[in-house]
Amino acid sequence: MSAGQDQATDLAIQGTNTSSITSKRSLERLGYLDPCHIPGVTEKDSPLMFKYVVSKPSRRSPVINRAYYQRTESIRVLVEGWIEECESRGIEQCAVISLGCGFDPTYFRLATLRKAKKSKTKLKYIDIDYPTLITERLYMVRTQDTLRSLLPQNPTVDDVGAIISGTYSCLGIDLRNLETLEKGLEAAGVVPGLPVLVVSEVVLSYLEADESNAVIKFFGAYPDATFILHEQCIPTFDTDGEQENLHPFASTMFRHFQRTMTPLKTLQEYRSLQDHRERFKALGWSKCDLLNMNLFADYVTMTTAEEHQRVSLLEPFDEYDELYWIGAYYFIAVASTGPGTLSVQGQKSPDVLEHIGLRYKLQDVTALSAHHVDQETYTSLQDEFTDATISSELIIDIDWAKQSPFQDFDINRKGHTLSILGDEALIFGGFGLDAEDHEEAAKIFQIRGQQTRLNTMMRLNLIDGSAETLVAGSDGPAPRMYHSAVASLDESAIYIYGGRDGPSKVHNDVWRYSPTGGWDPLWRARVSNEGESPVPKGLFKHTSNMMMVGGREMMVVLGGRLDTGEANSQVWAFDMQEYQWGHFKWRSFENGQQPFPGIFSHSAVVIPDADNQDSLLVVGGIRGSDEKVLNTVWRVSLGVSEEEPSCWVEAKELDIRTGSGDPLPPRFGHTSIALDNDRVWIMGGVSAPGLLKWQETMVEIRPRESMFQYLRTSAFKELVMVGHATGLDTSRGQIIGVGGGGTCFGFGAWWDATGWALLV
């Protein structure tokens, strides 16, 4: 790379400061960040500081706000926890060094907070970044009254590009110049033996691997150092011999950083958590714990249902798939050279993970296993590598029906439905690109404005593979996504219910579509959340299934979300003869079981119970009360009786495991197909806290045997399988899958555009 290209890359990297700090300001304005975190300390005592460093605030998208909240709060908890641990151990003086600080105002917030708390431990805080960026930072600070008032009095150095004092230093240093770094830290009073916390928040990943290694090794020479590293990782998705197949999120992320001239150079060499673990070990660190952001949120920053509810009320949010992808591709490492030993000052060195209660949780192997934690989610220097290969006894081999099942087929949408009537598959609605707007065979689209909620119908011919888009007329349903569509039992028509057209604009209507008669509105009602209601209140991300209940054909609606974002725990059934709703009420649970939870983004299929009556098999989803991703499997039965409740529903949770006793991986956003009375295929979805690997993407559940097996396809396909739709084509013995995709944290959108088919 030429000198000019190097300079352009450096400028682009410095520009990431603006994006990051603007995102954090967005959190502050919306109320994500608690200004105090200390009982008795008011906002006046501890003002939030991002408002002073962002002159032109901009509201970020809800998923970026959520991801940045977890990131910002995680760093805050660790930094403040480490300082508090120093204080609790009676350490007289400690230092925090922020690498690549940009305009981060942590020092100013800590200065205010520590003054209010009357902290006894003396703190040195050192901000370090590119010289030009530090000059901009200091100019901004000196022209802002609140920040300027918190600068140290009588610093030893106070010029345009640097401040050095006994409490706060701001240094313009290129981290690739370790000699200058060493001299700068010495001038700031950082000497061997002083407990030091180094914070690197998405900084070292932009350096070459040997350059970032040199920085980590440099601080590893300090006898009492702790290093907090937050950046990207690439969890293993699929390996085929020597070749690694990336998840589409990873492919999109790499393209984004290359396009913005900020390539993730270190990530090319250190991808997984295990890679980073071995890296810290080789560079002289005696302890290192690494967690992806999903697990860190579960264990530290969002541990209670109350916190989930608080955050969920701040703004409408529905991009859970994108949030959990982000959490799987970003991690926090906490490494140390000294915890467990006595420092030079005669006190045991600070262990921040112990202080915040995380060390104990990470040592509970049983709890980690129950939480579905693996080496891609958490690892440490004390861990042994484990073989994650799935035993062949737990696998069923399956084949793709065709490489491209449909001719000239290019669908770019998610949250749509697919229904099969005879030799035709009907795709309705969803969110994506209008047929006239998208480029043929394109997968990556950068302009979000091209995407919209749709009310078009696509008709696929299952015999010759041809596809046709039907023009949406004024007499059909409004645009919507995450609705439901189900075929009548005689396969003469499909019935559409619900969905949303906007973050909180939810539909509450039923439409019938038949190939001969077109659209017919059967029922609609105003969306309302006032008290009890004899009809549904409008739902999205629910399931609908056509089944026989009490001798009548009914469309049964279960789960989903209301326009408030609350998860629905009620069960409704639309009578196909009367075109009226019935409310089915839960019977009392036996053995002290909890009532069926309000869930969404689950799947449900109809299978016969022991008495050969229709029942639902409900798999996974997200629990609304605490946003937990589930691996539960329920058998839900409905009935009609003369006793109260006259229309009843009951559920029994099934314990579904592999032959070796492993539980079903958690997932949401997947689909289910019942092949026969005791075989249900689960396809796609998003897991938590780790990434759903390709070999886990599809499973077969056999409810009567209380077991499942993984489905291994004959070849790898670069598919997201989230927000997609599937249907069983019995005439040709195949499952059809179309669409799906997602936006990858502002990096770009990915579409599963061509459709696929699996032989059954």
Side-chain angles (χ1 to χ4, degrees):
M1 185 178 291
S2 68
Q5 288 174 313
D6 284 338
Q7 185 178 18
T9 297
D10 286 352
L11 290 173
I13 292 171
Q14 294 174 55
T16 63
N17 164 67
T18 302
S19 175
S20 174
I21 208 70
T22 302
S23 295
K24 293 177 180 180
R25 171 62 176 136
S26 179
L27 305 179
E28 182 182 56
R29 296 179 73 208
L30 291 171
Y32 278 88
L33 303 174
D34 187 321
C36 307
H37 301 287
I38 304 294
V41 177
T42 66
E43 183 173 358
K44 182 179 179 181
D45 298 322
S46 174
L48 291 167
M49 293 292 183
F50 293 109
K51 58 189 174 187
Y52 298 123
V53 298
V54 178
S55 58
K56 296 180 179 179
S58 175
R59 181 167 182 164
R60 298 304 202 201
S61 69
V63 70
I64 290 180
N65 285 332
R66 282 274 192 128
Y68 260 92
Y69 168 62
Q70 293 180 6
R71 166 177 167 174
T72 304
E73 183 67 357
S74 298
I75 298 295
R76 182 202 69 79
V77 167
L78 289 170
V79 171
E80 292 185 10
W82 184 85
I83 296 171
E84 291 168 3
E85 180 68 1
C86 288
E87 294 173 345
S88 69
R89 296 192 181 282
I91 294 174
E92 296 178 2
Q93 191 175 57
C94 61
V96 174
I97 303 169
S98 176
L99 305 180
C101 61
F103 290 175
D104 178 65
T106 296
Y107 161 73
F108 301 100
R109 182 173 57 80
L110 286 175
T112 305
L113 209 64
R114 288 169 57 76
K115 182 179 179 181
K117 291 172 57 182
K118 299 180 180 179
S119 302
K120 295 181 179 179
T121 297
K122 297 178 181 178
L123 173 66
K124 292 178 180 291
Y125 198 99
I126 301 99
D127 277 323
I128 297 174
D129 213 320
Y130 284 101
T132 53
L133 200 55
I134 288 298
T135 299
E136 291 182 38
R137 175 189 174 91
L138 288 176
Y139 176 81
M140 174 195 64
V141 169
R142 287 166 175 148
T143 55
Q144 211 292 319
D145 292 343
T146 300
L147 300 183
R148 186 177 65 249
S149 68
L150 294 169
L151 288 175
Q153 301 296 316
N154 303 315
T156 57
V157 175
D158 188 6
D159 59 32
V160 173
I163 286 179
I164 297 178
S165 76
T167 55
Y168 178 61
S169 298
C170 192
L171 308 174
I173 298 173
D174 189 325
L175 293 176
R176 293 167 291 196
N177 192 330
L178 295 182
E179 184 177 348
T180 304
L181 177 62
E182 184 175 17
K183 291 179 180 178
L185 292 176
E186 287 178 357
V190 179
V191 296
L194 182 71
V196 170
L197 174 66
V198 184
V199 182
S200 173
E201 185 182 343
V202 193
V203 175
L204 298 185
S205 55
Y206 296 120
L207 302 180
E208 297 288 354
D210 59 341
E211 294 169 343
S212 61
N213 283 347
V215 174
I216 295 173
K217 185 175 181 179
F218 173 84
F219 287 107
Y222 282 72
D224 204 351
T226 301
F227 202 115
I228 298 173
L229 178 72
H230 172 66
E231 56 188 45
Q232 303 88 346
C233 62
I234 303 294
T236 301
F237 180 55
D238 178 68
T239 54
D240 183 10
E242 297 297 321
Q243 179 180 348
E244 179 182 9
N245 298 310
L246 294 179
H247 188 278
F249 184 102
S251 303
T252 307
M253 181 172 70
F254 275 125
R255 284 193 199 92
H256 166 80
F257 285 105
Q258 290 289 345
R259 188 178 62 253
T260 57
M261 295 184 66
T262 55
L264 304 175
K265 299 174 182 178
T266 297
L267 190 59
Q268 298 290 351
E269 185 164 339
Y270 300 102
R271 296 199 170 198
S272 67
L273 296 191
Q274 297 96 316
D275 292 339
H276 284 281
R277 178 186 76 171
E278 295 305 304
R279 177 191 193 191
F280 273 94
K281 182 179 180 180
L283 295 175
W285 296 79
S286 59
K287 274 191 176 182
C288 185
D289 293 87
L290 307 97
L291 304 81
N292 78 10
M293 294 306 294
N294 288 332
L295 185 61
F296 201 91
D298 288 348
Y299 276 4
V300 179
T301 59
M302 297 188 73
T303 59
T304 65
E306 290 74 18
E307 177 64 4
H308 281 273
Q309 292 299 313
R310 182 190 76 82
V311 170
S312 68
L313 293 174
L314 295 175
E315 61 179 332
F317 177 75
D318 196 38
E319 295 75 25
Y320 288 94
D321 48 357
E322 299 173 30
L323 180 65
Y324 280 105
W325 279 337
I326 295 166
Y329 278 88
Y330 280 78
F331 74 98
I332 279 184
V334 180
S336 55
T337 59
T341 64
L342 292 181
S343 69
V344 173
Q345 299 182 40
Q347 298 291 333
K348 186 178 179 182
S349 300
D351 182 349
V352 63
L353 297 188
E354 181 179 299
H355 181 83
I356 65 175
L358 182 56
R359 177 75 63 199
Y360 172 77
K361 294 178 181 179
L362 295 178
Q363 292 173 344
D364 189 340
V365 177
T366 302
L368 289 175
S369 177
H371 203 69
H372 305 278
V373 174
D374 60 14
Q375 289 272 351
E376 302 289 344
T377 310
Y378 164 69
T379 189
S380 74
L381 289 184
Q382 285 65 48
D383 283 347
E384 298 274 338
F385 277 113
T386 57
D387 184 6
T389 303
I390 297 175
S391 170
S392 59
E393 290 80 13
L394 308 179
I395 294 174
I396 300 173
D397 288 312
I398 58 176
D399 294 311
W400 299 107
K402 292 181 180 179
Q403 192 68 20
S404 299
F406 307 112
Q407 301 172 7
D408 302 322
F409 179 64
D410 186 16
I411 181 171
N412 297 277
R413 64 175 81 185
K414 64 177 183 178
H416 54 286
T417 54
L418 181 149
S419 306
I420 294 179
L421 299 181
D423 293 325
E424 291 184 341
L426 301 173
I427 301 169
F428 175 72
F431 178 82
L433 302 173
D434 253 332
E436 297 135 4
D437 290 345
H438 68 262
E439 300 174 19
E440 189 70 21
K443 286 187 176 181
I444 304 296
F445 295 85
Q446 306 306 331
I447 304 174
R448 200 176 184 92
Q450 290 178 301
Q451 304 167 11
T452 185
R453 293 161 192 88
L454 306 170
N455 66 342
T456 53
M457 177 81 81
M458 296 186 72
R459 184 163 59 197
L460 308 180
N461 188 308
L462 298 176
I463 298 175
D464 61 19
S466 60
E468 175 188 11
T469 300
L470 306 181
V471 178
S474 58
D475 58 343
R480 65 191 66 203
M481 63 188 297
Y482 297 126
H483 51 284
S484 61
V486 59
S488 59
L489 295 181
D490 63 5
E491 297 187 356
S492 63
I494 61 172
Y495 293 81
I496 307 287
Y497 170 69
R500 67 174 177 89
D501 180 17
S504 56
K505 183 181 177 182
V506 181
H507 295 288
N508 198 23
D509 51 4
V510 178
W511 290 78
R512 178 178 59 197
Y513 176 84
S514 67
T516 55
W519 289 107
D520 184 13
L522 300 183
W523 179 90
R524 63 180 58 174
R526 183 173 63 91
V527 173
S528 172
N529 292 295
E530 300 176 1
E532 291 292 326
S533 172
V535 297
K537 300 179 179 181
L539 296 168
F540 63 98
K541 288 193 171 180
H542 57 283
T543 54
S544 291
N545 297 89
M546 201 68 74
M547 57 191 291
M548 297 300 295
V549 181
R552 301 176 73 90
E553 182 179 359
M554 295 187 179
M555 179 178 69
V556 177
V557 175
L558 182 144
R561 304 187 77 190
L562 303 169
D563 64 338
T564 60
E566 181 184 0
N568 167 53
S569 60
Q570 305 299 311
V571 178
W572 307 88
F574 190 73
D575 191 305
M576 290 294 107
Q577 294 177 344
E578 302 292 335
Y579 291 158
Q580 295 293 326
W581 288 100
H583 184 195
F584 284 69
K585 297 184 178 181
W586 291 104
R587 277 183 169 176
S588 300
F589 277 54
E590 299 177 357
N591 304 323
Q593 284 184 304
Q594 295 296 314
F596 190 87
I599 61 174
F600 57 91
S601 294
H602 54 288
S603 70
V605 293
V606 179
I607 59 172
D609 60 16
D611 298 324
N612 207 34
Q613 299 297 309
D614 283 354
S615 67
L616 295 176
L617 192 77
V618 181
V619 179
I622 297 176
R623 187 166 59 202
S625 60
D626 57 3
E627 300 176 311
K628 178 180 174 60
V629 181
L630 304 173
N631 73 329
T632 51
V633 179
W634 295 83
R635 184 186 289 276
V636 177
S637 302
L638 292 82
V640 178
S641 66
E642 296 181 357
E643 301 175 357
E644 288 295 329
S646 57
C647 296
W648 55 264
V649 58
E650 60 184 11
K652 178 182 179 182
E653 186 172 356
L654 308 180
D655 185 16
I656 304 294
R657 296 178 179 270
T658 63
S660 59
D662 298 325
L664 192 69
R667 72 181 70 207
F668 67 93
H670 54 284
T671 61
S672 297
I673 296 289
L675 301 183
D676 56 36
N677 292 347
D678 193 44
R679 283 199 307 153
V680 176
W681 280 15
I682 312 296
M683 287 157 288
V686 179
S687 189
L691 185 71
L692 197 65
K693 300 178 181 64
W694 178 250
Q695 62 189 1
E696 301 170 329
T697 299
M698 292 179 277
V699 301
E700 177 180 286
I701 294 178
R702 294 194 291 279
R704 293 177 182 175
E705 300 177 44
S706 298
M707 70 175 297
F708 78 93
Q709 288 178 279
Y710 296 98
L711 299 173
R712 181 170 59 190
T713 58
S714 51
F716 173 80
K717 281 183 180 289
E718 200 172 16
L719 297 171
V720 169
M721 276 201 191
V722 175
H724 60 302
T726 55
L728 178 61
D729 177 13
T730 55
S731 297
R732 279 150 287 277
Q734 60 184 2
I735 290 175
I736 302 297
V738 295
T743 302
C744 305
F745 197 27
F747 300 149
W750 177 275
W751 303 105
D752 292 344
T754 58
W756 48 267
L758 283 168
L759 294 175
V760 297

